[in-house]
Amino acid sequence: MRTVYVNGEYLPETEARVSIFDRGFLMADGVYEVVCVLGGKLVDFEGHMVRLDRSLSELDMTRPSARDDLLEIHRELVTRNTLDQGLIYLQVTRGNPGDRDFNFPPKETEPTVVLFTQDMPSLMDNPKAKRGARVISVPDLRWGRRDIKTVQLLYPSMAKTMAQAAGVDDAWMVEDGHVTEGTSNNAYIIKNGRIITRALSNDILHGITRAAVLRFAREAQMEVEERSFTIEEAKDADEAFVTSASAFVTPVVELDGAAIGTGMPGPIAARLREIYIDESLKVAV
Ligand code: PMP
């Protein structure tokens, strides 16, 4: 059985409790982070904590613990759960002010903090990295502050389920004729050696993996173009891929039934995956 963390305590998962009045439960009033664990070490912990602070401050929420304490909790969960490959999920909500009320509760309301591990032994040897993912496009019907990593994941969850019903792996969301991102990842195409991905704005989550991969790509003298692209452009691309903390760089080989490039994972995505994993392992804490 897993050991999880709830509001200062390490508990067996069956004993962890959060109030039914918690605003995370009633109003999706909470933010989260997912840190990848490789070889028992945390990948880009600092980047995820910087984004957590930003999500909290955009919603006028208080940070529950100092960054060093959060690092300690992450490490303790890795140890207690003997986690080698997987992830650590962290959620902070605006807590339980008592009655249900649309207004934000008083500042002194204690936030709820929950962390747990998920064991994923085949993260590095994910078969999807070799065969490539197939995706469909769906309209992006999410709210307008997708840069804040909130727990309002109903639409991405619906989109992923639509993808599953269509017999594919994932969905790319489209707004005003352009791809925003995947249900839980950032989306990229490659054309004539150039890596093209949507620029940062409130329209997409500012992926921590995105930042690292674009940095590594530029360091390797690859050309990066941060701009929106259409579904037609994506179908006509040489390669495509997605990035996220747990998928790293995963090639995309089919979009709405059309093969991308050769229909097989391409060399640039494979190279970026390799660089990302190698470099991340070097600096994992
Ligand atoms: N976009 C969305 C909508 C996501 O949910 C995620 C993963 N949480 C990402 C992008 C990728 O972000 P990261 O690289 O920080 O995992």
Side-chain angles (χ1 to χ4, degrees):
M1 190 191 296
R2 263 180 300 197
T3 298
V4 303
Y5 176 94
V6 185
N7 297 329
E9 283 187 289
Y10 294 94
L11 296 167
E13 63 183 82
T14 49
E15 287 173 31
R17 297 276 180 274
V18 173
S19 166
I20 63 159
F21 299 110
D22 195 278
R23 288 181 59 96
F25 177 63
L26 294 178
M27 300 192 164
D29 189 358
V31 299
Y32 74 109
E33 277 300 328
V34 175
V35 174
C36 182
V37 176
L38 285 182
K41 295 239 169 108
L42 306 166
V43 175
D44 216 339
F45 179 77
E46 189 63 22
H48 288 278
M49 291 306 107
V50 169
R51 187 173 61 190
L52 174 65
D53 278 352
R54 182 172 178 279
S55 295
L56 290 167
S57 86
E58 289 297 306
L59 294 174
D60 208 15
M61 288 169 72
T62 341
R63 173 136 58 86
S65 315
R67 196 166 299 172
D68 285 354
D69 296 337
L70 287 177
L71 175 59
E72 203 40 54
I73 298 166
H74 278 76
R75 286 189 167 145
E76 188 65 27
L77 285 176
V78 169
T79 307
R80 290 190 189 222
N81 294 289
T82 56
L83 188 63
D84 178 56
Q85 273 186 63
L87 52 88
I88 301 190
Y89 176 91
L90 169 157
Q91 180 170 330
V92 182
T93 79
R94 209 181 300 271
N96 162 22
D99 284 338
R100 179 174 179 273
D101 185 351
F102 278 75
N103 291 307
F104 283 179
K107 267 275 186 205
E108 53 280 10
T109 308
E110 284 291 316
T112 299
V113 187
V114 167
L115 287 93
F116 58 82
T117 55
Q118 271 182 210
D119 194 19
M120 299 167 94
S122 57
L123 267 189
M124 273 205 272
D125 285 321
N126 194 332
K128 236 188 271 177
K130 295 201 186 69
R131 69 170 167 83
R134 296 157 64 216
V135 304
I136 52 168
S137 61
V138 299
D140 195 336
L141 301 180
R142 297 173 299 164
W143 79 324
R145 287 304 305 274
R146 303 159 191 155
D147 56 312
I148 309 175
K149 198 165 167 65
T150 77
V151 298
Q152 306 180 61
L153 296 176
L154 186 52
Y155 188 72
S157 178
M158 285 169 71
K160 192 101 176 184
T161 306
M162 288 184 245
Q164 191 182 42
V168 300
D169 301 292
D170 201 359
W172 279 11
M173 295 179 282
V174 178
E175 188 171 61
D176 297 334
H178 293 87
V179 173
T180 51
E181 56 191 332
T183 57
S184 61
N185 44 58
N186 291 114
Y188 308 73
I189 56 172
I190 302 171
K191 187 70 182 174
N192 300 326
R194 293 171 83 82
I195 300 165
I196 301 162
T197 194
R198 195 177 178 104
L200 296 181
S201 71
N202 292 354
D203 300 340
I204 60 168
L205 187 75
H206 302 186
I208 301 304
T209 319
R210 176 190 183 281
V213 165
L214 293 187
R215 190 173 72 247
F216 297 143
R218 287 180 170 121
E219 282 168 11
Q221 316 301 326
M222 297 179 187
E223 280 190 70
V224 175
E225 212 177 310
E226 293 183 65
R227 64 156 176 91
S228 302
F229 59 86
T230 64
I231 288 293
E232 290 63 41
E233 260 189 293
K235 285 184 181 166
D236 187 45
D238 302 324
E239 293 185 41
F241 64 94
V242 292
T243 63
S244 78
S246 57
F248 314 137
V249 175
T250 298
V252 171
V253 296
E254 185 190 295
L255 173 57
D256 289 337
I260 297 177
T262 62
M264 301 284 286
I268 299 180
R271 176 89 189 103
L272 284 172
R273 181 180 174 90
E274 197 177 284
I275 299 176
Y276 176 76
I277 293 177
D278 286 354
E279 295 299 319
S280 301
L281 277 171
K282 276 188 211 159
V283 294
V285 298

